[in-house]
Amino acid sequence: MYPLKAAVEVIQLGRISYGRALQVQKLYVRRHLDSKDKLHNALLLCEHPPVYTIGIRQALYPFEEEQRLKLLGAEFFRSNRGGLITFHGPGQLVCYPILNLGCFKKSVRWYVCELERTVINLCRKYGIKAATSPNTGVWVGDNKICAIGIHCGRYITSHGLALNCNTDMGWFENIVPCGIVGKGVTSLSQELGRDVSIEESIPRLLETFSDQFDCTLHRGEYSNNE
């Protein structure tokens, strides 16, 4: 008898500040940790106002660098995800999977590879040839189209991926994205020569995620009162 597919709830948060999104992620992680007999796998989909974020290797970004970036009109956050500095902003589809890897495979390396394959397959649906590289994320040639940075504790995942749809790429010129010198960034819109919105991209992301992780997705609702 084949095991049942894992069920994953899809929560669309819309445009939400990065700080608030961190709080929502913590809430969904806590649901996993507090529940003994119920699974709470979720995909949190959102878009952020302009914000620069850094991961656990924070020594490279002193207070002066933080202030410089804030003066550009963006927020700045230090987080517990992997990876170096990146930008989130309007036109970028951000996906935070809050998953219990016990429902899938208890391997962080496997999980990151599956996220990469999910985005590669999404790009394929648009006719874009994307690939991985020795650096984490998804690339079109030497340009990163999707950044990936995750946290995993007790096999519960948080943070996730950020796919450039019709992002203002100028924001990336103020940093060395993900700390990788000599590489660029791109977007679905830039590659296709037409506007590709977040709204257009979401169904394709959900389809490729469901296929890659062999799970069933169902729509959920998030209440600000939670």
Side-chain angles (χ1 to χ4, degrees):
M1 185 175 180
Y2 293 101
L4 294 175
K5 291 185 177 183
V8 180
E9 186 179 24
V10 178
I11 305 292
Q12 297 204 30
L13 298 172
R15 185 171 294 190
I16 183 174
S17 72
Y18 187 79
R20 181 58 182 148
L22 287 176
Q23 294 175 350
V24 176
Q25 288 184 74
K26 288 178 182 178
L27 171 66
Y28 278 82
V29 168
R30 177 50 54 188
R31 285 180 171 181
H32 277 291
L33 298 176
D34 289 346
S35 179
K36 301 297 182 183
D37 56 1
K38 187 176 180 181
L39 299 172
H40 295 281
N41 295 311
L43 284 186
L44 309 180
L45 303 179
C46 64
E47 175 187 31
H48 296 309
V51 58
Y52 291 102
T53 75
I54 60 175
I56 55 178
R57 295 163 61 187
Q58 300 185 4
L60 298 173
Y61 308 99
F63 177 75
E64 293 76 14
E65 178 68 357
E66 176 179 340
Q67 291 302 108
R68 180 184 74 85
L69 294 173
K70 284 182 175 178
L71 288 174
L72 298 173
E75 290 189 290
F76 185 95
F77 275 86
R78 301 173 185 269
S79 74
N80 65 349
R81 64 165 172 80
L84 297 173
I85 193 165
T86 194
F87 170 79
H88 300 308
Q92 186 185 71
L93 173 55
V94 179
C95 174
Y96 297 126
I98 314 297
L99 307 177
N100 182 338
L101 291 185
C103 300
F104 301 92
K105 182 176 181 178
K106 288 187 174 182
S107 167
V108 173
R109 176 173 292 186
W110 171 88
Y111 171 63
V112 172
C113 288
E114 293 302 286
L115 289 180
E116 291 174 332
R117 292 186 188 110
T118 294
V119 177
I120 289 171
N121 290 337
L122 178 151
C123 289
R124 184 179 296 119
K125 289 179 180 295
Y126 279 107
I128 298 171
K129 186 177 180 180
T132 58
S133 82
N135 302 299
T136 303
V138 177
W139 300 76
V140 180
D142 283 336
N143 297 316
K144 180 176 281 192
I145 196 167
C146 181
I148 293 176
I150 69 132
H151 176 79
C152 187
R154 295 168 62 180
Y155 290 111
I156 307 300
T157 68
S158 58
H159 297 281
L161 64 86
L163 174 66
N164 297 325
C165 297
N166 55 0
T167 320
D168 178 357
M169 309 307 285
W171 287 99
F172 289 98
E173 296 174 2
N174 305 304
I175 59 173
V176 179
C178 302
I180 304 171
V181 178
K183 304 292 184 180
V185 289
T186 189
S187 66
L188 294 175
S189 295
Q190 193 165 297
E191 293 301 316
L192 295 174
R194 68 173 180 84
D195 186 67
V196 181
S197 67
I198 288 176
E199 292 73 22
E200 178 184 337
S201 305
I202 285 176
R204 299 194 184 196
L205 176 65
L206 295 179
E207 181 182 355
T208 55
F209 184 93
S210 176
D211 290 343
Q212 194 64 46
F213 283 83
D214 193 26
C215 62
T216 59
L217 303 179
H218 63 279
R219 188 170 181 174
E221 298 291 338
Y222 171 73
S223 169
N224 289 326
N225 297 322
E226 293 188 66

